[in-house]
Amino acid sequence: MNGWRWLKGYLRAYSGASITKKAIAIYIVVVLVPGCLLFLLYFQQTSGIIEREMSDSMLQTLNQAEYNISNGLDNVASVSDSVIANQGIAQYLSGSAKPAYEQFEDFQELEKLLVSLERNRGIHRIRLFVDPRLTYSREDIHFFSLHDLDREAAWYRNMISRNGGNYWRGTYLQPYLGESDAKVISAVRMLHDPLHYESVIGVLSIDVKVSMIQEILSRVSLSSSQEVFVVDDDRRLVSHQDAARLGQPSDLTAAQMEQLAKSKEGSFRDDQGTTSFLYRRIPNTDWSIVAKLPTSELSGKSVVLTKVSAVLLLGIGSIVFIFFLVLAFAAAAESLAKRVRDMNRTLKAEGSAHFDGSLPKPKGDLRQLESAISRMVQTVHDLTAESYRSKLHERDAQLKALQAQVDPHFLYNTLDSMNWMAIRRGADEISDLIEALSTYFRLSLNKGSDVVTLAEELQLIRSYMHIHNTRDDSGIELFCEVEETLLSCRLPKLTLQPIVENAVLHGIHMKRPKRGTIDISAKLEGHWLTIEIRDNGVGMTPERLAQLLEPPSPDNKVESYGLYNVHERLRLFSRDNGAGVTLTSKPGSGTNVLLKIKISSN
């Protein structure tokens, strides 16, 4: 009842109000109230949808970064698997009871395997922690003792729980012998003895510089105030734009870390709602990529679109209001015209006596409303990941990796011969042999230099042949025909020795009696130094000749590896594929070895 009376009173007040007040009332009832209600409903329905679309778009960008990181980690995991798949790895690492020279041979094979695998893209260093009883467990470049590992560290316990599977160790500072320390991540795993699986014979660690992940994250662009990082399940930063924070605890709370572990990807906000987090788990690790950014930037597009919608609603409401305002003016004009007509009729019929002299005047005023509409447009561009380009390895590093090694049996046999000579003969011959051996050692070591002159290399060969003839009472004659101007030419160390040794052991010693000649000659043809080594040994078949310069396999003989080694070293030294070794031989006719070396113009 009271409501009805209030409504009737309002209608009476409205009927007697001016046009301005009526227009305001119409605007409130027809435009403002419905517009606010529609705006509230629209905002509630669309803001959540737009924010989810923005989150999904940003998650797609994180997915691309995760894909690139996973590819890099998978490449490293494949290298780790290839080490495990090597059939000889378990035999080498469980060989602590072997003699020292057999352990040295195992070490050479293992080092050759690890060096070749280190050439894979992204790998910085491969380290193998082995039984401390092995002679090479203190090599400290690729091989370390198992006792060097911190068995109380969290990463070690996590690795043990994987039972031989790969575990990714988070960022840490690793010192390296002969180079500066580096912050790395590592794929670590236990190596079991296949015959006694409960026994651990080694731990494999493949180190990758953390800059690989940072380069990928630097290309992620979500907002101007973003903070993108990688964190492990122990809340420690694996990758961050601030290098000083690597390996340190992140700012995430325990509750937020639980949120990361709930699903493969998602988003959440902090307790105040001012900061939003988007995350994506990295498969086969306990790491997550996290993007931290202000919520206002995440919902910025929603706010913009909502403002545009509000302007549109108000514009439509204004049009409706103007329409009703025109109707009101039309009604007022019609009322005024009716009153004017009534006054005219009264004046004509009854005259001015019955007219009080006052003219009816319209009440209120007219106002024209103008509005301007502006629109804001925001476009989000997704970034595409750039493809990786492979990098060339430094030739000097390859050259050093291919350096030939002196056969230890030769040194052992020589020392043994010296011992027996001391027993059988006088000291003069022993002194002569020791002097030749000292010369051999001095020239072969050459103070650590990898490059020698031709004169030094020939002196090394003479010392070698003198020792060999004295030791075996052989009748092998060495003839060197080299012009004095060529003696200063430079070439890789131990280039001639493996070839002369092959000529002695696999050529002349196969004859009966063990006697023969070795001729060495050299000449200069333009920028090329050619050295020819001829022997009158037993020679070899074409099939054997074709095998000598092929890349060595585990079952290849030592002489094949030596010739291939010399061939590759000459090509790297000359930086020209035309350099290298050429062989000619026939059974019973000896062997000719031609070396071709490019001489620098400097």
Side-chain angles (χ1 to χ4, degrees):
M1 190 60 128
N2 292 332
W4 175 249
R5 288 179 179 176
W6 177 85
L7 181 58
K8 288 175 65 177
Y10 177 80
L11 291 176
R12 284 195 299 268
Y14 175 76
S15 61
S18 63
I19 294 178
T20 302
K21 293 180 179 179
K22 289 180 179 179
I24 293 174
I26 293 173
Y27 179 79
I28 292 174
V29 174
V30 176
V31 178
L32 188 59
V33 175
C36 290
L37 293 176
L38 289 174
F39 172 77
L40 180 61
L41 179 62
Y42 178 83
F43 180 80
Q44 290 177 343
Q45 294 295 324
T46 60
S47 61
I49 296 175
I50 296 175
E51 285 190 23
R52 285 194 295 271
E53 291 178 350
M54 290 288 295
S55 297
D56 291 342
S57 175
M58 293 180 177
L59 282 174
Q60 287 300 319
T61 303
L62 284 187
N63 289 351
Q64 185 62 54
E66 177 270 312
Y67 175 78
N68 293 334
I69 293 174
S70 295
N71 274 349
L73 299 184
D74 288 345
N75 289 339
V76 176
S78 298
V79 173
S80 178
D81 293 339
S82 68
V83 174
I84 299 301
N86 187 285
Q87 297 180 353
I89 192 75
Q91 179 183 357
Y92 296 148
L93 298 185
S94 57
S96 58
K98 293 181 180 180
Y101 73 91
E102 291 187 13
Q103 292 189 32
F104 182 75
E105 292 175 349
D106 292 348
F107 162 74
Q108 288 181 308
E109 294 297 325
L110 284 171
E111 184 179 38
K112 182 167 60 177
L113 172 64
L114 299 187
V115 169
S116 66
L117 292 176
E118 279 184 347
R119 297 172 185 166
N120 285 273
R121 177 166 53 87
I123 294 179
H124 181 63
R125 179 66 59 84
I126 299 179
R127 294 179 292 144
L128 199 56
F129 295 84
V130 300
D131 190 333
R133 292 174 296 179
L134 293 172
T135 58
Y136 51 87
S137 63
R138 294 294 179 182
E139 186 251 3
D140 288 344
I141 296 178
H142 292 102
F143 301 93
F144 303 82
S145 171
L146 279 171
H147 291 168
D148 295 340
L149 295 174
D150 183 5
R151 299 174 183 267
E152 300 300 321
W155 70 266
Y156 188 89
R157 296 193 298 271
N158 291 334
M159 178 194 67
I160 295 295
S161 67
R162 297 295 177 95
N163 197 27
N166 262 320
Y167 172 74
W168 279 99
R169 181 181 177 185
T171 301
Y172 62 99
L173 185 64
Q174 174 61 39
Y176 293 103
L177 185 64
E179 62 181 88
S180 58
D181 300 350
K183 289 190 175 181
V184 297
I185 57 175
S186 301
V188 295
R189 70 192 310 169
M190 290 191 306
L191 305 179
H192 292 281
D193 187 343
L195 300 179
H196 305 87
Y197 194 76
E198 68 280 359
S199 299
V200 176
I201 59 175
V203 171
L204 175 64
S205 176
I206 302 182
D207 301 343
V208 179
K209 284 190 175 181
V210 74
S211 58
M212 179 196 76
I213 297 179
Q214 190 55 42
E215 288 176 3
I216 297 174
L217 296 185
S218 65
R219 293 191 289 270
V220 176
S221 179
L222 303 177
S223 73
S224 58
S225 304
Q226 70 179 22
E227 181 182 349
V228 183
F229 54 89
V230 176
V231 63
D232 62 17
D233 287 347
D234 292 329
R235 208 165 61 86
R236 294 192 174 275
L237 292 169
V238 177
S239 178
H240 194 275
Q241 59 189 9
D242 184 0
R245 296 188 60 188
L246 294 177
Q248 301 299 318
S250 69
D251 297 331
L252 297 175
T253 64
Q256 291 170 344
M257 291 300 301
E258 292 179 3
Q259 189 75 23
L260 292 180
K262 286 183 178 180
S263 60
K264 181 180 179 181
E265 66 178 18
S267 61
F268 58 92
R269 296 180 180 179
D270 61 2
D271 295 337
Q272 293 76 29
T274 58
T275 304
S276 293
F277 297 86
L278 292 85
Y279 65 91
R280 170 81 177 183
R281 299 285 292 181
I282 301 178
N284 302 321
T285 69
D286 59 358
W287 301 346
S288 299
I289 302 178
V290 181
K292 177 182 177 183
L293 63 159
T295 302
S296 58
E297 296 191 19
L298 177 63
S299 59
K301 187 174 181 180
S302 173
V303 173
V304 170
L305 292 178
T306 304
K307 288 180 178 180
V308 172
S309 300
V311 172
L312 291 175
L313 286 174
L314 291 175
I316 293 173
S318 298
I319 293 173
V320 174
F321 168 71
I322 292 173
F323 174 74
F324 280 99
L325 189 60
V326 169
L327 291 180
F329 273 109
E334 181 61 26
S335 175
L336 179 58
K338 183 178 181 297
R339 293 173 62 186
V340 170
R341 288 193 298 269
D342 291 342
M343 181 188 66
N344 289 334
R345 284 195 300 268
T346 301
L347 289 173
K348 290 179 181 179
E350 301 181 6
S352 60
H354 300 279
F355 184 66
D356 58 5
S358 62
L359 294 175
K361 297 180 180 178
K363 297 181 180 180
D365 54 2
L366 300 176
R367 295 183 181 178
Q368 185 178 3
L369 302 179
E370 297 181 355
S371 63
I373 302 175
S374 63
R375 296 185 181 180
M376 301 176 66
V377 179
Q378 179 179 347
T379 305
V380 177
H381 296 282
D382 293 331
L383 296 177
T384 56
E386 298 178 357
S387 61
Y388 291 106
R389 298 180 180 177
S390 59
K391 298 180 180 178
L392 296 176
H393 293 284
E394 293 294 335
R395 287 183 177 271
D396 291 340
Q398 295 181 8
L399 180 60
K400 290 182 180 180
L402 290 172
Q403 286 291 349
Q405 302 296 323
V406 178
D407 186 355
H409 295 289
F410 172 74
L411 301 180
Y412 298 152
N413 292 338
T414 302
L415 293 175
D416 184 60
S417 299
M418 293 169 62
N419 181 46
W420 285 105
M421 288 174 60
I423 297 173
R424 297 197 308 266
R425 298 180 179 85
D428 292 341
E429 293 184 1
I430 295 177
S431 176
D432 187 35
L433 189 61
I434 291 175
E435 182 179 358
L437 183 59
S438 299
T439 302
Y440 183 86
F441 272 125
R442 176 175 54 80
L443 294 173
S444 62
L445 295 175
N446 196 31
K447 298 181 180 180
S449 175
D450 296 327
V451 180
V452 298
T453 63
L454 180 56
E456 293 171 330
E457 190 74 0
L458 290 175
Q459 182 60 38
L460 177 70
I461 296 304
R462 292 189 185 97
S463 298
Y464 171 82
M465 289 305 304
H466 179 74
I467 294 171
H468 195 282
N469 284 331
T470 304
R471 187 189 69 187
D472 291 346
D473 293 328
S474 298
I476 301 177
E477 295 184 84
L478 176 67
F479 298 98
C480 297
E481 185 179 349
V482 179
E483 296 182 7
E484 187 172 353
T485 57
L486 301 181
L487 295 177
S488 61
C489 293
R490 300 179 67 81
L491 67 162
K493 182 175 65 178
L494 295 180
T495 296
L496 303 182
Q497 191 272 344
I499 299 174
V500 172
E501 183 176 0
N502 283 344
V504 172
L505 299 180
H506 305 289
I508 298 175
H509 270 202
M510 296 299 177
K511 298 173 58 178
R512 293 296 181 270
K514 301 178 181 180
R515 296 184 179 278
T517 61
I518 298 176
D519 296 286
I520 300 177
S521 61
K523 60 181 178 179
L524 190 64
E525 299 177 352
H527 293 291
W528 293 94
L529 173 67
T530 58
I531 303 174
E532 186 175 10
I533 304 173
R534 302 178 299 277
D535 69 75
N536 60 353
V538 297
M540 64 187 75
T541 63
E543 293 78 15
R544 178 57 183 153
L545 199 65
Q547 295 175 357
L548 290 179
L549 295 182
E550 293 181 354
S553 58
D555 56 348
N556 273 13
K557 295 181 179 180
V558 175
E559 66 269 22
S560 173
Y561 175 76
L563 289 174
Y564 173 78
N565 186 303
V566 173
H567 180 68
E568 289 299 312
R569 289 167 57 209
L570 291 182
R571 294 175 68 183
L572 289 172
F573 177 82
S574 302
R575 290 177 168 84
D576 194 312
N577 289 336
V581 179
T582 303
L583 301 172
T584 56
S585 180
K586 290 182 181 179
S589 300
T591 301
N592 284 14
V593 180
L594 183 65
L595 307 180
K596 194 173 181 181
I597 309 169
K598 195 168 187 179
I599 302 301
S600 174
S601 59
N602 293 336

